[in-house]
């Protein structure tokens, strides 16, 4: 089954481009209730997997031993902007670990937050690994390796215990055998996990309602999702959908973007899990689809959707700062 | 007719994302010979229209009066990197026009060439309109307005004679009535033109073989396409497909990218015109499709396609500079 038409990109009153993709909505019983496109589309969750990747930080005891605050834990689930609020915290975590920036194996890229990038250039400072949007996740991985007495140099490699624990969590929560999980390499060098989209939605349903899970895992999950919702600035930052969405949801829902057009949401109140994949991989369309899905499921109020308007109907501006286009969702959820 | 599957984005051995789109190939008689997807897809040509937008610069006499060199003319067809080679030339053209940077109404954005952006930041210099990738085109528009004694403040507006001359050229070359051309606003504030993809390919076929056109237009076209092919560095710059493609083609073909996934090519030798639109608007897939089309049409040699390998099969690298994925064309041209 091919992708379905999800979003129009409007310019000059006509459709300039279209985004097609897939949506899977799973209820608290683990049943697929809505699906557009192909719910079995094997999808690299990319950074949407971060809340699951954080579970071993708590379960191993590393989070307690290194006294991870809620904000620290939220940062381990982040694709952050590289603002001071993020990088200062990365350095604090590394200090608690008695490790340096060089211990992070994520590589470097300019901070997503343009002002910070320009500030670094102007002041002649180096763009180090702390500005990598995944540096919080790498701090978490490093902390479990160190706490467990494992090698630190290669914590990012597929056969390292850090990565084995993560893939086992994914296999368990998403109910997919280990040998059916596709593996690739992420933008920051660690393994990424490819699973059917409906399994990804199931994973988020379990994060939203972990009642059926063993106490230890339930507790770890609740600590992580609470951290994301209590400290949403850590997950993205200024002008980021994940952050602004969780601020507006005030502890009811958590959401996480992934590269190549992925977005996942868990709703604590209903136990619903949602997974979205834009087939062409363009992240510009994900927030528009996410808000529209919540609206059609009646999971957000009219007022909330108004507050999210800039993400629901993102505007395109030109170099003269004129609004010259807009993204508009163009789908109806289909019963699975 | 919907878009067709054109390119796979591979990661970890599986297809992470797909790009779908449309292709139209028109021969020198103006006949559509191949089409994938919908050749009637109304498409904003965006910057692919620049060679046509340059025609009035020559036809009005502005290019001669202000002594435009071949490199200057090539720059008016550019979506350039904002390297010194581009901005120095923008300033030279403006000097010949006795105008300043403030006369350019394109707005500003950081130069595409990252090193230049960092250099500007480090040296505390302002990002002015000259770094806008369209500043060459705006120099051309300004030159015709000034030469014709028209107002300079509003040359970018749809009803200004500069823009009227351009839309008339498009109507003529692409054989589409003026009132059937859709109008939007481009990233640099000027009108963009939406026409069926096969008409865009027809326009490029006429650019490639203008033999049937009136002498004045034929001469203007030959001067512009020669300029692009003789001075390909001006059209894009370092590490840009348009530039490297035209260097390898050595005067046989010209190509121009447009935003939202557009690419157009004209082949002087056969008179063939090619127009490509990636439905989702992602420019990362266009060079891959373009080289593959040329290969399937036997318009490039094995050796040339090898030299273009990085554009034919673009690699994806992560922040650790590891190759973690690749784009691969996945289509066969279909007879129209």
């Amino acid at each position: 089954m091919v992708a379905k038409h999800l979003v129009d990109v409007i310019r000059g009153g006509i459709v300039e481009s279209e985004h097609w993709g897939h949506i899977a909505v799973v209820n608290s019983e683990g049943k697929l209730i809505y699906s557009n496109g192909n719910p079995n589309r094997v999808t690299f969750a990319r950074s949407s997997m971060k809340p699951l990747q954080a579970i071993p930080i708590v379960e191993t005891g590393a989070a307690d031993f290194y006294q991870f605050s809620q904000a620290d834990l939220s940062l381990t689930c982040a694709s952050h902007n590289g603002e001071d609020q993020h990088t200062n915290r990365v350095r604090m975590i590394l200090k608690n670990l008695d490790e340096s920036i060089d211990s992070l194996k994520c590589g470097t890229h300019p901070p997503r937050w343009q002002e910070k990038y320009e500030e670094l250039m102007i002041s002649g400072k180096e763009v180090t690994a702390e500005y990598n949007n995944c540096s919080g996740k790498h701090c978490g991985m490093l902390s479990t390796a160190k706490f467990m007495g494992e090698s630190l140099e290669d914590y990012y490699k597929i056969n390292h215990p850090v990565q084995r624990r993560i893939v086992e969590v994914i296999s368990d929560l998403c109910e997919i055998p280990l040998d059916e999980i596709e593996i690739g390499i992420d933008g920051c060098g660690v393994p990424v996990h490819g699973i059917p989209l409906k399994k990804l939605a199931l994973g988020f349903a379990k994060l939203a309602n972990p009642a059926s899970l063993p106490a230890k895992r339930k507790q770890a999950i609740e600590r992580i999702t609470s951290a994301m919702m209590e400290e949403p600035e850590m997950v993205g930052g200024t002008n980021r959908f994940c952050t602004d969405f969780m601020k507006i949801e005030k502890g009811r829902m958590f959401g996480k973007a992934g590269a190549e057009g992925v977005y996942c949401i868990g709703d604590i109140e209903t136990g619903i899990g949602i997974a979205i994949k834009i087939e062409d991989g363009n992240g510009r369309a994900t927030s528009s689809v996410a808000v529209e899905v919540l609206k059609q499921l009646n999971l957000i109020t009219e007022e909330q959707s108004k507050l999210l308007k800039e993400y629901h109907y993102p505007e395109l501006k030109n170099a003269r700062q004129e609004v010259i286009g807009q993204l508009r969702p163009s789908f109806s959820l289909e019963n699975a």
Side-chain angles (χ1 to χ4, degrees), chain A residues 136-192:
Chain A
K137 178 182 71 181
H138 279 254
C139 284
M141 291 175 173
L142 186 66
S143 73
T144 57
K146 183 144 189 171
F147 178 68
M148 300 296 283
E150 296 153 2
S151 62
L152 304 187
E153 282 302 308
D154 57 350
Y155 69 80
Y156 62 92
K157 289 188 178 164
I158 182 74
N159 289 320
H160 191 284
V162 163
Q163 303 303 335
R164 297 313 306 163
R165 282 189 290 271
I166 286 170
V167 77
E168 279 161 18
V169 164
I170 293 167
S171 170
D172 180 53
L173 279 190
C174 300
E175 299 183 10
I176 179 166
L178 277 171
D179 62 3
E180 289 180 21
I181 299 175
E182 298 283 348
I183 299 290
I185 299 172
D186 211 339
C188 63
V190 303
V192 284

Side-chain angles (χ1 to χ4, degrees), chain A residues 74-114:
Chain A
S74 182
L75 190 64
T76 68
C77 302
S79 302
H80 64 72
N81 275 345
E83 296 170 73
D84 288 344
Q85 60 176 339
H86 306 117
T87 54
N88 288 343
R89 190 165 297 281
V90 165
R91 281 196 298 272
M92 264 167 32
I93 297 174
L94 288 171
K95 199 178 163 199
N96 288 344
L97 294 174
D98 197 23
E99 291 292 332
S100 72
I101 291 289
D102 293 338
S103 304
L104 299 180
K105 305 302 180 195
C106 46
T108 60
H109 63 70
R112 292 171 73 142
W113 190 240
Q114 195 78 356

Side-chain angles (χ1 to χ4, degrees), chain A residues 1-23:
Chain A
M1 207 180 327
V2 296
K4 284 289 177 76
H5 183 184
L6 298 181
V7 172
D8 284 328
V9 182
I10 305 290
R11 181 184 298 259
I14 68 169
V15 176
E16 178 166 31
S17 300
E18 291 180 4
H19 294 290
W20 291 47
H22 315 273
I23 303 168

